[in-house]
Amino acid sequence: MLPITYAPLTLELRTTFRIAHGASDQRHNVLVRIAEGVGEAAAVAYHGETPAGIMAYLAAVGALQGDDPCLLEELLAQLPPGSQAARAGVDIALHDLWGQRLGQPLYRLLGLDPARIPLTSFTIAMDTPEAMAERAREAGLPLLKIKVGSEEDAARLAAIRQATAARLRLDANAGWSREQAEAWLPRLADFGIELLEQPLPVGDLEGLRRLRALKTGVPIFADESVKTARDVAAHAGAVDGVVIKLMKTGGIREALRAIHTARAHDMQVMLSCMVESSVGVTAAAHLAPLCDAVDLDGPLLVKNDPFEGLRYEGARLLLPDRPGIGVVARHQAV
Ligand code: MG
């Protein structure tokens, strides 16, 4: 038997994180452990997830029946439907345990080359145009993801474009109407925007198809609309790419299925994260060699990351070569 243990993990953010869904200074995640394996579940409010709900799910499952972490599929098949974040926490801890028992980093077990990881973007959350431009300048990084989705978007983009020569991606977090998106798309090239994420509310597949038919040359990616491999297939033809996150797929196993489903439909793949510590984000980074675009800046947004794992050299991601996901606690107490 492999018992599952868990504890709340409160992350303090470096700056208030404001996107089209709301603003926050703290995130309440849950740390999951299975023997020496560690995982993380991020309570994303707009997924309807709460730390209490995640912990209730983990308490109800209690333990996985079996002793061999190499039987990943058998063990994970025991998880009932419910909290995707909790399922992700268990899945990550189990993959970590698998790698540790076999003495290999996860990327090696998956057959992947960490030298193929694309540069990560760094997120500039919504704020006044001046404050966003300042943060873009201060970041000094070559690839930024700009959060938009309100009246001031034009002023924001103009200020940021003036402040930096960085490559820019845009994330509207479902904050635009069809009319706003149709008006915006042809203008994005003027600001040098290379990619647009989730312009429309979840479920508006027809709206996405219409935007894509405008053929503005700016690829459109679905994020909030797409959680699992099944959703990826449903978006074939409606978008150019999909955003995969472990907290949406319910872990690494389903993320792999979602990535391969996207490939089968000629869609691009961006790998991203929620606000997570080095546990969740390092776990995701092991899949990054399979992806076209990477947005794994979670630990850079957090002041009190209790773990170290993934390292950043500017926008370049360096995976640890320790066994499993390769994270270690900064303090003994964690
Ligand atoms: Mg997004």
Side-chain angles (χ1 to χ4, degrees):
M1 204 165 69
L2 293 165
I4 299 168
T5 60
Y6 53 88
L9 172 63
T10 299
L11 300 177
E12 311 281 346
L13 306 189
R14 289 189 189 279
T15 53
T16 300
F17 195 74
R18 192 181 306 277
I19 63 173
H21 299 295
S24 55
D25 293 299
Q26 267 190 345
R27 289 298 172 92
H28 300 281
N29 293 354
V30 176
L31 212 54
V32 180
R33 289 186 190 276
I34 301 175
E36 59 268 37
V38 63
E40 181 175 5
V44 182
Y46 62 84
H47 288 171
E49 298 265 18
T50 61
I54 290 169
M55 290 190 279
Y57 177 96
L58 296 171
V61 175
L64 299 173
Q65 302 305 315
D67 294 313
D68 181 1
C70 292
L71 296 175
L72 280 164
E73 295 283 353
E74 297 293 322
L75 294 166
L76 290 169
Q78 297 170 23
L79 293 178
S83 166
Q84 287 295 87
R87 292 161 56 88
V90 172
D91 168 288
I92 294 167
L94 201 57
H95 279 81
D96 188 29
L97 181 61
W98 179 43
Q100 290 193 47
R101 292 277 167 91
L102 294 180
Q104 293 290 334
L106 181 57
Y107 66 81
R108 283 186 62 80
L109 295 175
L110 298 174
L112 301 175
D113 179 359
R116 297 188 73 89
I117 298 180
L119 293 183
T120 182
S121 56
F122 177 76
T123 303
I124 307 290
M126 271 212 287
D127 205 327
T128 62
E130 299 71 34
M132 289 176 78
E134 182 55 29
R135 214 164 297 140
R137 196 180 301 117
E138 271 173 15
L141 292 168
L143 182 53
L144 300 174
K145 182 197 261 198
I146 311 299
K147 295 288 193 178
V148 291
S150 79
E151 297 302 318
E152 283 188 290
D153 288 344
R156 288 183 172 118
L157 288 186
I160 292 166
R161 189 66 291 174
Q162 218 174 17
T164 173
R167 291 162 55 196
L168 299 181
R169 295 173 180 166
L170 223 56
D171 189 354
N173 285 114
W176 285 345
S177 65
R178 281 189 186 185
E179 293 67 30
Q180 284 172 312
E182 282 171 21
W184 257 111
L185 255 186
R187 300 175 59 194
L188 294 183
D190 299 342
F191 295 102
I193 304 299
E194 64 176 32
L195 179 164
L196 172 64
E197 245 180 80
Q198 194 73 37
L200 301 177
V202 172
D204 191 3
L205 266 173
E206 183 47 38
L208 289 173
R209 277 199 191 91
R210 283 170 52 169
L211 287 182
R212 196 164 180 238
L214 296 176
K215 295 194 189 305
T216 62
V218 178
I220 299 170
F221 279 55
D223 180 0
E224 283 87 338
S225 304
V226 170
K227 288 187 173 172
T228 61
R230 182 193 291 236
D231 301 327
V232 172
H235 279 71
V239 290
D240 301 285
V242 289
V243 181
I244 306 291
K245 298 176 181 169
L246 300 188
M247 296 305 142
K248 294 193 298 180
T249 58
I252 293 164
R253 223 69 193 156
E254 178 68 13
L256 283 167
R257 289 186 198 107
I259 291 168
H260 292 305
T261 303
R263 294 297 179 212
H265 289 96
D266 287 327
M267 293 156 100
Q268 298 179 57
V269 177
M270 180 192 291
L271 183 66
S272 186
C273 58
M274 300 298 177
V275 178
E276 296 162 31
S277 78
S278 283
V279 173
V281 180
T282 304
H286 285 267
L287 300 178
L290 286 172
C291 301
D292 307 290
V294 167
D295 168 41
L296 292 178
D297 60 354
L300 299 177
L301 308 175
V302 171
K303 269 197 289 203
N304 63 332
D305 190 343
F307 288 84
E308 57 181 69
L310 179 71
R311 287 185 303 118
Y312 297 84
E313 217 175 66
R316 230 161 67 80
L317 298 183
L318 302 173
L319 274 174
D321 55 10
R322 291 181 285 263
I325 64 171
V327 297
V328 289
R330 290 180 197 275
H331 315 291
Q332 222 51 30
V334 180

